[in-house]
């Protein structure tokens, strides 16, 4: 049995670091595990300009400390200027742009009401090779919440890809067999991130013994067959799938509420959670590609120098971390980061 694993330093290809005090509280956890992270732009005042992204990046560097590189993203709106997107990409401020369908999730009110409104931006992105990160859910209230990802593929993503066949797209935090199949069946310019929680929980877990607000996120966890399909994709060895935690901290009060916020805070033990899943599926030999190689290859970035070692060892996730409730709080995980 393998008891230690050493991999190239990994990156998180999808994280919410917030701002202000919350940024200061959570950034060190991401920086401890990952060399770089794609930082989501859905602040209360979304990051839509090059200047705002550059300032936000400085606040992140100050909060995370040396040795961590935030990779910034541009929040797309109905009014996104292709010239501003291209300028920020060319000067190295941002590496990707994010499509939030308007009102799909936290702080997405300024998101895109109709994907045709960002066609000029997508044309520029396709031309310059800039990645489009996609929150893949329709917002039509008539569509059952558990079907919103699958319907998004049919109504939005497939037509978009037909119009922009060369656009680099990351289908973020996939939760369904439909999404995994779509990515597998698409060309090499379409990839997906997968969260630790969607490898581990299904929708029944949200209601196990009572309502579990800390397991609520968007896209919401789906039925077991979908979890297994997503997990098979993650551990398959395919270069199309890579690590993206979607760690999305909210205060305890905001989660434990009559109308709780969507988001799972998994940054403190994300690698340990992922590795346990790969271990259970006898896929330890595929973990490095998922965590450290496939993402940089897709984004056209170098692999990180240096390595990280994890060892088989019991680690208990505290009930509270930095005043927040972490994913798997109170559970004992089987892998730990070696000092
Ligand atoms: O659960 C989620 N939380 N899903 C998202 O898409 C956004 C995130 C957040 O920012 O809280
Ligand atoms: Zn997210």
């Amino acid at each position: 049995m393998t008891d230690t694993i050493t991999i190239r330093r990994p990156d998180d290809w999808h994280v919410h670091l917030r701002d202000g005090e919350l940024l200061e509280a959570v950034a060190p956890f991401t920086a401890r595990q990952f060399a770089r992270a794609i930082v989501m732009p859905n602040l209360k005042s979304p990051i839509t300009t090059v200047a705002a992204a550059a300032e936000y990046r400085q606040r992140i560097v100050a909060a995370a400390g040396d040795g961590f590189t935030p990779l910034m993203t541009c929040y797309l709106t109905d009014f996104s200027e292709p010239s501003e997107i291209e300028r920020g990409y060319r000067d190295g401020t941002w590496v990707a742009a994010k499509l939030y369908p308007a009102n799909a999730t936290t702080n997405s009110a300024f998101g895109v009401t109709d994907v045709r409104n960002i066609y000029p931006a997508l044309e520029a992105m396709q031309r310059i090779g800039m990645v489009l990160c996609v929150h893949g859910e329709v917002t039509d209230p008539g569509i059952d919440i558990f079907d919103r990802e699958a319907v998004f593929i049919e109504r939005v993503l497939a037509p978009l890809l037909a119009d922009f066949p060369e656009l680099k797209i990351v289908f973020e935090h996939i939760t369904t067999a439909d999404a995994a199949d779509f990515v597998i069946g698409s060309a090499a310019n379409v990839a997906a991130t997968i969260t630790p929680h969607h490898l581990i929980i299904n929708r029944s877990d949200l209601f196990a013994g009572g309502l579990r607000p800390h397991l609520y996120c968007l896209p919401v966890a789906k039925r077991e067959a979908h979890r297994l399909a997503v997990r098979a994709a993650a551990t398959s060895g395919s270069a199309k799938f890579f690590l993206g935690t979607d760690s999305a901290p909210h205060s305890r009060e905001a989660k434990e509420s009559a109308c709780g916020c969507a988001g799972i805070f998994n940054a403190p033990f994300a690698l340990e959670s992922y590795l346990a899943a790969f271990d259970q599926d006898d896929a330890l030999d595929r973990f490095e590609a998922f965590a450290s190689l496939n993402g940089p290859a897709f984004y056209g970035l170098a692999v990180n120098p240096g390595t990280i070692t994890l060892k088989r060892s019991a680690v208990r996730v505290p009930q509270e971390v930095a005043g927040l409730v972490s994913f798997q709080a109170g559970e004992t995980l089987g892998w730990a980061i070696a000092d």
Side-chain angles (χ1 to χ4, degrees), residues 12 29-30 32-34 195-197 199-200 243-247 265-277 287 310 317 326-328 333 337:
D12 184 349
F29 294 106
T30 293
R32 176 176 164 265
Q33 300 223 322
F34 302 107
T195 74
H197 42 281
L199 293 179
I200 294 169
L243 186 159
T245 64
D246 199 16
S247 183
F265 175 52
N266 58 31
F269 296 91
L271 271 183
E272 295 89 329
S273 300
Y274 278 117
L275 188 55
F287 187 60
L310 292 106
V317 181
S326 177
F327 181 52
Q328 297 184 298
L333 309 178
I337 296 176

Side-chain angles (χ1 to χ4, degrees), residues 14 16 40 98 100 135 173 218 246 248:
H14 181 134
H16 300 267
M40 287 296 126
K98 174 77 184 217
Y100 286 108
H135 182 105
H173 41 54
L218 288 170
D246 199 16

Side-chain angles (χ1 to χ4, degrees), residues 80-216:
S80 288
E81 288 287 345
S83 58
E84 180 77 353
I85 292 170
E86 181 163 356
R87 184 169 75 85
Y89 181 72
R90 291 209 187 275
D91 80 5
T93 305
W94 43 46
V95 302
K98 174 77 184 217
L99 164 58
Y100 286 108
N103 302 313
T105 186
T106 308
N107 296 338
S108 62
F110 299 101
V112 175
T113 58
D114 180 335
V115 80
R116 296 207 159 258
N117 294 336
I118 57 166
Y119 267 31
L122 298 184
E123 264 157 35
M125 290 171 63
Q126 177 171 255
R127 178 169 44 79
I128 63 183
M130 182 174 174
V131 171
L132 176 70
C133 298
V134 177
H135 182 105
E137 288 190 288
V138 292
T139 53
D140 180 345
I143 302 295
D144 188 280
I145 191 165
F146 294 100
D147 296 332
R148 287 182 190 173
E149 185 173 281
V151 173
F152 182 86
I153 296 170
E154 180 193 310
R155 286 195 190 169
V156 184
L157 192 53
L160 188 154
L161 203 50
D163 288 341
F164 297 96
E166 313 269 299
L167 181 63
K168 289 171 87 168
I169 297 178
V170 178
F171 196 164
E172 303 279 17
H173 41 54
I174 60 165
T175 62
T176 57
D178 311 65
D181 290 346
F182 181 80
V183 171
I184 291 164
S186 297
N189 57 311
V190 179
T193 54
I194 297 179
T195 74
H197 42 281
H198 291 116
L199 293 179
I200 294 169
I201 60 165
N202 64 29
R203 67 187 192 179
S204 295
D205 291 310
L206 270 91
F207 310 102
L211 191 59
R212 304 280 181 170
H214 297 287
L215 297 183
Y216 173 57

